[in-house]
Amino acid sequence: MDSVEIGLITCSPHDEVYSLYGHSAIHYRDLRNDVDYVFNYGVFDYNKPYFVLRFIFGKTDYELGVCSFNAFCKEYERWKCQVSEQVLDLTPEEKDRIIKALFLNAQPENCVYRYNIFYNNCTSNARDIIEKHLDGSITYEGQPAKRGDTYRKLLHEHTADNPWAAFGSDLLIGVKADFKIDQREQQFLPRNLAYDFNRAFVVRNGEKRPLVKETIIWNPLGDQPVSTGFPLSPLVCFIILLIISLGVFVYEQRKKTCLRWFDVTLMLLTGLAGCIVFVMFFSEHPATSTNLQILILNPLSLFFIPQVFRGKKTRWFVISLCATILFLIGGLWQDYAEGMYILALCLLLRYWRHRHEK
């Protein structure tokens, strides 16, 4: 085992949605026998039937894949991502147990697992298989990193340059993503685990040794490609919606009329978005249940569209008012997606207009 090295690989993010948070893997190298493998818990087949639908419902199956280290690095070199490795200071017995466990996990009958971004992902699996086969326990010393203390805040740290990705995740995850989480729970992100490993010690029988022996940069960080997504941020889009709402409101006040088409459009958009939020209540992702944004992204609005379109009296606007007030109160516990408060103001304007309609 003197010629064997095992390390935790950490890859920096690139602009694909599935890689916004980086990646972790395990490097197994046997210098004497010219073996150089990467064990990668992040393998998935996007072409499998109903992949997106299964992902939404938390039924996505990932698997442990094995490839050559050279091929792994070339893939991330193509994305201009940094690939670093923390070579672990392990005893021969620990190396032997970890290698056997990895090859056992890689067998076809064992390699598939149910993926969850917060609780069971490529990073947490790499950490767990290392921890499980150490002689002793891991402690973390030194100054902890300054990082978010909830799942939502941690995601925001990685989506600062991608506002639509941040909006999408904020729209889907609910109030549970705003609960305080501890250090171990924060290690679902590759960068956090790598930082913690650098100040980790293995303690056994009162003796301790550093977990990491050295750090190697295999791929330097290159110039990241500039994302060419939708040119307007979610906030700008909601501001435009508010300006239109105010313009419609003023026009209606002056002309003593009510633009039903605007109500129908607003109800259709919020209702369709509400269907997505409602579906997430049945997902296996624990953090997507109890999403208070469904109060204003309400799928019930779709059932009232015919009445509003025909100009009939309807209770919808009173229901919308009550739901919006509850939504505003719920903001004490849940951080909403960008622009949701602006949408709430637009809905209040529509209630005010219909309340005073003659």
Side-chain angles (χ1 to χ4, degrees):
M1 284 295 168
D2 290 342
S3 65
V4 171
E5 288 185 344
I6 296 176
L8 175 71
I9 291 178
T10 303
C11 306
S12 63
H14 57 75
D15 61 350
E16 291 291 335
V17 173
Y18 64 83
S19 184
L20 286 175
Y21 311 110
H23 185 53
S24 299
I26 295 178
H27 186 195
Y28 161 49
R29 181 167 55 159
D30 187 339
L31 302 175
R32 179 176 299 172
N33 297 306
D34 196 26
V35 174
D36 207 6
Y37 290 151
V38 169
F39 288 81
N40 179 8
Y41 282 95
V43 176
F44 64 91
D45 184 0
Y46 188 81
N47 294 316
K48 280 188 175 181
Y50 311 111
F51 177 86
V52 174
L53 190 63
R54 290 178 62 85
F55 187 87
I56 290 174
F57 281 99
K59 298 182 181 294
T60 311
D61 289 331
Y62 276 43
E63 61 185 75
L64 172 61
V66 185
C67 68
S68 73
F69 179 72
N70 186 51
F72 182 87
C73 281
K74 282 187 176 180
E75 177 68 15
Y76 279 90
E77 184 178 2
R78 183 171 68 89
W79 290 106
K80 302 184 184 300
C81 294
Q82 177 177 290
V83 176
S84 62
E85 178 184 359
Q86 294 164 294
V87 182
L88 305 180
D89 185 10
L90 303 173
T91 66
E93 294 77 18
E94 290 170 336
K95 294 177 185 179
D96 184 58
R97 288 196 296 268
I98 291 174
I99 293 167
K100 288 179 179 177
L102 287 170
F103 276 103
L104 180 62
N105 277 185
Q107 296 303 309
E109 64 271 20
N110 302 325
C111 66
V112 178
Y113 71 97
R114 182 56 50 87
Y115 174 87
N116 185 287
I117 185 174
F118 293 145
Y119 309 110
N120 194 29
N121 65 8
C122 59
T123 302
S124 62
N125 273 282
R127 175 201 62 195
D128 293 347
I129 203 165
I130 291 170
E131 281 187 352
K132 185 178 179 180
H133 297 95
L134 295 176
D135 290 325
S137 59
I138 291 182
T139 62
Y140 300 98
E141 300 183 3
Q143 187 67 25
K146 292 182 179 180
R147 56 177 73 142
D149 56 0
T150 67
Y151 285 121
R152 193 187 305 274
K153 289 179 181 178
L154 288 172
L155 294 184
H156 285 177
E157 292 176 5
H158 289 263
T159 55
D161 297 326
N162 196 325
W164 281 104
F167 176 81
S169 63
D170 283 340
L171 190 66
L172 297 180
I173 57 180
V175 68
K176 292 182 180 179
D178 296 301
F179 294 163
K180 303 293 183 182
I181 57 177
D182 60 27
Q183 180 185 37
R184 185 173 181 80
E185 291 171 313
Q186 294 177 27
Q187 291 174 351
F188 79 97
L189 287 173
R191 186 179 66 183
N192 292 354
L193 181 63
Y195 179 90
D196 288 345
F197 264 32
N198 273 335
R199 58 191 192 89
F201 289 83
V202 181
V203 180
R204 181 172 182 266
N205 296 330
E207 298 182 357
K208 66 179 183 179
R209 54 183 163 87
L211 178 61
V212 175
K213 180 168 56 177
E214 63 173 322
T215 299
I216 303 173
I217 305 297
W218 294 106
N219 279 0
L221 182 64
D223 294 329
Q224 296 292 296
V226 178
S227 178
T228 56
F230 191 69
L232 301 180
S233 70
L235 181 59
V236 171
C237 291
F238 278 103
I239 291 175
I240 292 173
L241 175 62
L242 178 60
I243 292 173
I244 295 174
S245 297
L246 289 171
V248 168
F249 181 80
V250 171
Y251 177 84
E252 291 173 327
Q253 289 289 93
R254 290 181 176 180
K255 297 295 184 178
K256 307 299 181 183
T257 186
C258 185
L259 300 182
R260 303 288 179 184
W261 63 266
F262 185 73
D263 288 316
V264 169
T265 301
L266 201 58
M267 293 170 69
L268 181 63
L269 292 176
T270 56
L272 292 177
C275 289
I276 299 175
V277 176
F278 177 74
V279 164
M280 295 303 294
F281 277 73
F282 303 95
S283 172
E284 289 185 11
H285 294 295
T288 60
S289 62
T290 321
N291 188 343
L292 300 180
Q293 290 170 121
I294 200 170
L295 291 167
I296 60 170
L297 299 176
N298 195 331
L300 291 178
S301 66
L302 299 175
F303 296 100
F304 290 90
I305 285 178
Q307 296 179 14
V308 173
F309 182 76
R310 296 188 185 97
K312 295 182 177 180
K313 291 292 184 180
T314 173
R315 295 181 180 274
W316 167 247
F317 296 101
V318 175
I319 295 173
S320 177
L321 171 67
C322 297
T324 303
I325 293 174
L326 291 175
F327 166 83
L328 295 174
I329 296 173
L332 297 172
W333 295 277
Q334 180 176 336
D335 288 339
Y336 298 133
E338 189 175 51
M340 287 295 104
Y341 286 110
I342 295 177
L343 177 60
L345 179 57
C346 294
L347 296 177
L348 291 176
L349 279 174
R350 298 319 299 162
Y351 167 78
W352 178 267
R353 179 68 194 100
H354 283 273
R355 176 69 177 81
H356 295 84
E357 181 183 5
K358 295 181 180 180

